[in-house]
Every structure is written in structure tokens, then in C-alpha cells.
Amino acid sequence: MRVHVRLKGSIMEQVSVNLSHGGTQSVFTHQSEATGTPMTFSAFVPAHERGARLPVIWYLSGLTCSHANVTEKGEFRRLCAQLGLIFIAPDTSPRGDGVADDDAYDFGKGAGFYVDATQEPWRRHYQMRRYIENELPDLVAGHLPVDMDRQGITGHSMGGHGALTIALRNPGRFRSVSAFSPIVSPIHCPWGEKALGGYLGADRDAWRTYDACALIEDGARLPDLLVDQGEADNFLESQLKTHLLTELCEKVGQPANIRMQPGYDHSYYFISTFVDDHLRWHAERLGKSAR
């Protein structure tokens, strides 16, 4: 069943809804002002008393992914239902026939890198920073029973990069921040150099606002941080470079629990293994314990 909700001048369409662990798992689409395209996100809302406002976890996905990857593979709903956490998973880029794309998997559609592009032909639609930081939270706050004073953010790989940089750029917004195998310094890896150079141009100083390590070097801080990284991840040495974040946090005194997990790779088998740890960690900081 499709449900249309008019909200702040736009229409948000609920394209699917399923009962799960007593709550509802929905998928919504809406026309985005930021990207100029339809955008899709999923939302799990646990059972709750009428009028209650619940803490929310924003989950940002990685390269080639959409909202569907974590929604179908993340295994988060059982504990979110117990902890009373809303779980929101947006797409990773604008999509559609008129949206610029690239043949490679690590640039263009599915690879928005959570930046606001300034270069042609990308800047017309690739405004993912503005979408994630401003438009989507306003939309969700106007429709779902979220407590915007209790927000946490997490993500995987490119989405881990997005979660870290968004939290670092918005001090005080998120009570809790975590990441699974994040790209910790896009300035220093091939994925990041390609994406930031393509979307933002050649001025590397303009890249620093999209690099977690650079933001910390420039003085940004988080109240705390949890990171899990698989030691068998084939992207660890060339792209993710977790040691850069570990060394920097130790150097500047940024509180962080960065855990290297032997034998685990980059897949959702890894994420689903440790997602309960992350959800409990977020819930503690958001002021909600298991029922």
C-alpha cells in the first residue's frame, strides 16, 4: 500500500511498510530540493506509546549501496525494538536518468561521498551534504516520532566517512557517533582523491571539511567515538587507513574506542556481527536502555 503524506509543501510517499519485531519497517520516497531528484530512505520505528518521541540513529551506507543494503542485511531491528531506537537509512547519492554518472563503481551514482559538489556536471544534483545534514532531518522530524535532541550517527566505509565528518562539522548535534570500517582520511586514499577531486576540484584545502582526520587536526572534536574495523578487510591498507585515525586521536586526546577485529572483512557479515555493540553504545549515550 502506498501512502502519500504532504509535508512542508512536499509529498513524502510511503512505498512499503512491514511489521517487524512489533515495530514498522518502512521505505519512503520524496522529491528533494537539495538534489533536485526523488530520494529514498528506509525507517524502522519500534512500537511506542502514543505521543512518545524516540531517539534516532542515522545510518549512512557505503560505495555502491542504497538504503536497501543495511535494511535487508543489517540485522538491527530486534535490538532497535528492545532499545526503543528509530533507525533511518538514506541513499548514498541522487539517482535518475538525468543524473550525471560515471562508469566506475567508486564515482557517480551510488558514490556521492556525502559532499556538496561544486564541479560540473556533478553540482546540479550531487548535494548530499545539504541533503543529509539539513533536508532529510527536517523531513523526518516533521513526520516520524523522533526526539531530535537525542540523535546518533553511524555508517559503513564511505558512510563511516560521512558519519564522522558530519558529526565533526556539527558539534553538539549528535550525542553518539560510531563507524564500521570508515574511510578515515579521503585526502590520503585513492577513493577519496578521486571523489573529492572530481566533485570539488583541484584545491585540496577545500577537501579538508570532508576528511575526518583533517577536521580533528583543525580542532573539531567528538564527545566520544566507537569504531570497529576488520583486520581481514582487503581495503584496510590502501583505502581505509584506520591507523591514521588511531594515531591522531591518541595524539590530540580525542576520546575513541577503535577496535581491530581479527578475521573480519568489509562485508555485512562483519557489520551484522557488531551492530548490537554499536546500538547499545548509542543507546547508553542517548539515554535509553533496553526494556
Side-chain angles (χ1 to χ4, degrees), residues 34-35 39-42 58-71 87-95 105-118 122-123 125-137 153-170 173-174 178-184 186 191-192 194-200 206-212 215 266 268 271:
T35 68
M39 294 295 291
T40 302
F41 68 94
S42 71
W58 305 92
Y59 178 94
L60 306 184
S61 294
L63 285 167
T64 76
C65 293
S66 71
H67 71 283
N69 296 76
V70 69
T71 305
F87 191 97
I88 305 290
D91 203 347
T92 54
S93 77
R95 300 181 191 267
Y105 76 95
D106 56 356
F107 195 67
K109 293 179 185 177
F113 259 82
Y114 305 101
V115 307
D116 281 353
T118 60
W122 314 103
R123 68 178 182 178
H125 297 299
Y126 285 77
Q127 301 295 309
M128 289 301 294
R129 171 181 176 176
R130 183 156 55 100
Y131 176 70
I132 297 294
E133 288 188 1
N134 300 317
E135 184 178 9
L136 184 60
I153 191 167
T154 188
H156 172 233
S157 193
M158 179 185 74
H161 139 77
L164 295 181
T165 55
I166 288 170
L168 286 162
R169 287 195 304 264
N170 292 273
R173 177 183 291 191
F174 302 98
S178 75
F180 302 89
S181 47
I183 304 169
V184 305
W191 278 342
K194 179 177 182 177
L196 299 183
Y199 293 135
L200 304 176
W207 300 5
R208 294 184 68 83
T209 191
Y210 295 109
D211 184 294
L215 286 165
H266 200 69
Y268 269 88
I271 296 169

Side-chain angles (χ1 to χ4, degrees), residues 32 75 101:
S32 168
E75 301 181 20
D101 198 11

Side-chain angles (χ1 to χ4, degrees), residues 216-231:
I216 293 171
E217 287 175 346
D218 293 344
R221 293 292 183 270
L222 300 171
D224 203 352
L225 175 62
L226 174 63
V227 172
D228 274 304
Q229 172 62 59
E231 289 185 353

